[in-house]
Amino acid sequence: MWGGRFAEGPAAVMREINASIPFDKRLWQQDIAGSRAHVAMLGAQGIVSPADAAAIAQGLNDVAAEYEANGVAENLALEDIHMATEARLAELIGPTAGRLHTARSRNDQVATDFRLWVRDAVDQVDLGLAAFQRALVGRADEHAASVMPGFTHLQVAQPVTLGHHLMAYYEMVRRDRSRFAAARGRLNECPLGSAALAGTGFPIDRFATAEALGFDRPTANSLDAVSDRDFALDYLMAAAQAALHLSRLAEEIIIWASQPYGFVRLPDAYSTGSSIMPQKRNPDAAELVRGHSGRITGCLMALMMTMKGLPLAYSKDMQNDKPPVFEAHDLLALSIAAMTGMIETIAFVPERMRAAAEAGFSTATDLADWLVREGGIPFREAHHITGAAVKRAEADGIALAALSDAALNTIDPRLDGRVRAALTVDASVASRQSHGGTAPARVRGAIAEAKQQLGLA
């Protein structure tokens, strides 16, 4: 490729460091699609003859069939998927293949291919996240009224329902999907025709190629088009956030599956044993999902550092844009599938959850609220009185609801036996009727709305 300018070939190490075919061969379908659109436009514009355009189009179909059947050969001398495809095309149809690269550069070619790949990746992730949402909603529906402890600082705080807890992750995933959708909307502009950096003098029709490839429009500035990797960073940012959400749920499953909690029983399909301890059931799938979040976030950091300070337009640094995106996508897709499978098959243990909710003075706030409602006192004063009641119950080794009338009256004259009705975990969750609250009726309403959003209603 460089014979007209260079008298000698590259050093072996230069050939190795310069070649991207080992990883960018993954773009072959997008590269073929972009080339098909480009040659069709060249033919329609009279830039190449109809016969040459037809020969190139048929040759591209033949190359694609070979790739589909046998994969892409890794010839480092051809550097990348673009040259590999063009070289094979030339072997099949002869010198006419050289006309394909008219009015384009590898700079706008790779920018187009990569956008097409990331767009496909977004669509795949969205399908996976939608399936994960369906799994969450299905299990939340089963447990809309199952009481469990809600935690702050990993300390028992107030009773909630398991359905409410699972629907919290539904909301996280809803935001994840919106981030991917926004990223897709921004990336859906076509760089093809920007050439190396300045556009081209040939009478091309960039709107035609953009439409043929499913883009909304061509990019507006040729310099920006070939040097922009915002779309890849957008994808990685959305992927990192989604991975963090998956990691949070994975961590909770790990905690819940431990013997001190016993909130869940892990399915065989998503756990492993120990090589030395026969009794062990390890939450390895959840732990790996938790670990993947670090690698995915690292991919984001890697590309951000690669792009930092690059002058316009294209620099070879940008050849390193694809490996972190490919790695993050593979890890995220695997993590989503694993978490979906775990949520679908995990066995919840509601009786253990209820016992934990009942054991940690989780209805103390309900006592304070009762004093505000029934005694008409300020909440801060009610908070102080409730603290004294908790202290007394803790000292006696009993639950708040087990305090005698005399003990309640000693703590504060405005406390009497009527408060006990407010101190059960069922009464507590049922009272949380505010919008977005944990009351089973509210949870069922949220589930119904989610089903409608997912097309399940």
Side-chain angles (χ1 to χ4, degrees), residues 2 48 147 194 308:
W2 315 119
V48 301
V147 175
S194 298
K308 179 186 70 67

Side-chain angles (χ1 to χ4, degrees), residues 1 49 76 100 112 161 173 205 238 279 327 356 386 403 431:
M1 182 167 52
S49 70
L76 299 188
L100 173 60
T112 302
T161 67
V173 179
D205 185 350
Q279 84 281 7
E327 180 182 0
T386 300
L403 286 169
S431 71

Side-chain angles (χ1 to χ4, degrees), residues 107-312:
N107 293 356
D108 63 333
Q109 189 177 357
V110 69
T112 302
D113 291 358
F114 199 18
R115 281 182 187 245
L116 288 169
W117 190 94
V118 171
R119 190 176 69 185
D120 291 342
V122 167
D123 292 343
Q124 292 166 17
V125 167
D126 187 67
L127 288 173
L129 289 175
F132 182 41
Q133 283 184 309
R134 289 193 293 272
L136 288 167
V137 169
R139 300 311 302 273
D141 206 6
E142 291 177 41
H143 295 283
S146 298
V147 175
M148 67 172 292
F151 297 93
T152 62
H153 309 279
L154 207 55
Q155 302 293 309
V156 173
Q158 292 179 315
V160 296
T161 67
L162 176 55
H164 192 56
H165 195 105
L166 294 173
M167 288 302 292
Y169 284 98
Y170 172 87
E171 291 299 319
M172 294 182 209
V173 179
R174 183 179 59 80
R175 294 193 296 274
D176 290 331
R177 293 182 68 189
S178 74
R179 273 183 282 270
F180 280 111
R184 192 189 196 283
R186 281 190 294 272
L187 74 79
N188 210 34
E189 297 181 349
C190 184
L192 197 57
S194 298
L197 75 163
T200 178
F202 289 96
I204 63 172
D205 185 350
R206 293 191 62 209
F207 288 88
T209 49
E211 182 178 3
L213 293 170
F215 289 105
D216 295 331
R217 63 190 71 83
T219 52
N221 183 285
S222 60
L223 280 166
D224 177 56
V226 298
S227 59
D228 168 45
R229 292 299 183 270
D230 288 3
F231 63 92
L233 287 168
D234 275 353
Y235 176 84
L236 287 174
M237 290 178 196
Q241 183 66 77
L244 293 180
H245 288 153
L246 294 172
S247 181
R248 293 183 75 175
L249 181 54
E251 171 72 1
E252 294 198 311
I253 289 173
I254 293 163
I255 292 171
W256 293 352
S258 66
Q259 281 75 17
Y261 280 78
F263 288 2
V264 299
R265 286 192 295 271
L266 293 173
D268 289 349
Y270 292 94
S271 53
T272 64
S274 165
S275 64
I276 190 172
M277 295 169 285
Q279 84 281 7
K280 293 292 294 300
R281 181 188 291 273
N282 297 325
D284 282 12
E287 290 172 351
L288 288 166
V289 169
R290 185 176 60 183
H292 287 170
S293 67
R295 292 175 62 187
I296 292 169
T297 305
C299 291
L300 169 61
M301 294 298 107
L303 186 53
M304 289 178 74
M305 292 304 98
T306 296
M307 297 304 298
K308 179 186 70 67
L310 287 186
L312 296 177

